[in-house]
Amino acid sequence: MIPPDHPRYRQLVVRERLARCAREGIVALEGLTAHGRAEAFDYLIGEKSTATAREAARVAAALLLLARHPVLSVNGNTAALAAAECARLQEVTGCGIEVNLFHRSEERVRRITRILEDVGASVLAGTPERLIPLQHDRALCLPGGIGSADLVLVPLEDGDRCEALRAMGRTVVTIDLNPLSRTARMATLTVVDELTRALPLITEAYRGMTRTEAEALVRGFDNHYLLQAAIAEIVRELSRALD
Ligand code: PTJ
């Protein structure tokens, strides 16, 4: 039992949830190390959504609004941490949701689908095909889902699928606390923020946005600039750390 007055109560609750989901086969064991890396980067950005993250979330909403067939790709960590936020994003934007896993097994796909459906999400189903040119199982996707999406929102991605999707001409929006990761640099747009903070920011930005505003936001953004700004924010946060 974690005492609610513990200074890092929230982080400990999240860790406990991820550990439980790992024991239940929802989160891959490797997902726990990915989370540890993210915790370290979250520390560096001050565990809050920065101004740059908010700006990037608005651009993400704009890209979603202008997309013809947007699909949110969900892995084990994303389902364990943010199933309800995924469902809410879908409710507001109408995006498709597809389970796509690096450490794939049909049992994990079923469990992750159930977590999402339990909070009201509608998850795409069907027979996956190797539609992305990759050697591992992230190649597997649904012809009516990621296979035909013009925009794929891929939180907590590993870089090679991001690169492959870009090479296929897709718009790739990612959420990644590490602004230096290959995914962050390969994506069309990266929101450098923690997943459970970033998804609601995107959802709320989408709700109030007109098509004209979206078109203006999409015309003016530069992912490289946003990543540099995110790194500058980390440096500022570090220089204040011991003040
Ligand atoms: O469920 P599976 O089988 O698809 O496997 C999922 C993992 C996460 C194991 C797999 O995709 C993987 O190995 O990912 P990587 O290459 O470790 O990349 C994950 C990225 O997401 C890292 O750059 C982390 O910093 C970042 N990340 C992890 N948790 C969060 C995060 N970014 C934002 N919010 C988080 N909560």
Side-chain angles (χ1 to χ4, degrees):
M1 157 81 178
I2 301 160
D5 61 347
H6 191 287
R8 300 201 62 76
Y9 177 75
R10 189 182 172 276
Q11 284 79 6
L12 295 181
V13 169
V14 170
R15 279 187 188 178
E16 199 169 70
R17 178 168 174 74
L18 280 171
R20 180 167 51 76
C21 286
R23 282 192 290 272
E24 290 171 0
I26 292 156
V27 169
L29 287 181
E30 293 81 352
L32 299 179
T33 61
H35 181 74
R37 182 197 291 172
E39 273 190 350
F41 274 100
D42 205 17
Y43 222 97
L44 296 180
I45 68 166
E47 295 175 328
K48 58 178 188 305
S49 301
T50 63
T52 309
R54 290 172 189 280
E55 188 182 337
R58 279 180 58 72
V59 180
L63 287 167
L64 273 165
L65 199 142
L66 298 175
R68 176 184 45 77
H69 180 28
V71 174
L72 167 62
S73 175
V74 175
N75 65 11
N77 287 48
T78 301
L81 291 171
E85 289 84 351
C86 291
R88 180 85 184 115
L89 180 84
Q90 181 179 55
E91 185 189 326
V92 171
T93 68
C95 68
I97 293 184
E98 179 171 338
V99 177
N100 179 281
L101 303 179
F102 186 72
H103 307 279
R104 189 181 176 104
S105 74
E106 289 320 302
E107 184 53 28
R108 281 192 72 214
V109 173
R110 261 195 302 280
R111 284 173 191 241
I112 291 166
T113 300
R114 201 176 315 134
I115 287 197
L116 290 161
E117 288 177 345
D118 282 351
V119 291
S122 164
V123 181
L124 293 163
T127 307
E129 295 173 22
R130 290 199 166 269
L131 298 175
I132 306 175
L134 292 169
Q135 294 308 313
H136 54 75
D137 280 350
R138 276 202 138 164
L140 284 167
C141 59
L142 297 171
I146 291 169
S148 54
D150 57 340
L151 180 150
V152 190
L153 173 55
V154 281
L156 284 56
E157 174 69 340
D158 53 341
D160 53 351
R161 186 172 62 139
C162 180
E163 192 171 355
L165 286 168
R166 286 300 308 277
M168 290 166 77
R170 311 302 171 85
T171 298
V172 179
V173 178
T174 191
I175 298 168
D176 191 334
L177 274 160
N178 177 3
L180 304 170
S181 75
R182 217 156 63 82
T183 302
R185 288 180 286 124
M186 293 301 308
T188 313
L189 172 73
T190 305
V191 182
V192 180
D193 200 2
E194 202 283 322
L195 177 69
T196 60
R197 294 194 303 263
L199 286 173
L201 283 178
I202 297 171
T203 304
E204 287 318 306
Y206 186 102
R207 265 153 56 92
M209 195 173 284
T210 64
R211 222 183 147 77
T212 313
E213 281 169 342
E215 280 163 356
L217 278 164
V218 164
R219 256 196 310 276
F221 88 95
D222 172 350
N223 199 44
H224 186 71
Y225 165 82
L226 287 169
L227 290 176
Q228 281 183 327
I231 292 167
E233 278 166 333
I234 290 176
V235 172
R236 268 200 303 278
E237 185 68 26
L238 281 176
S239 64
R240 275 200 302 262
L242 293 180
D243 286 352

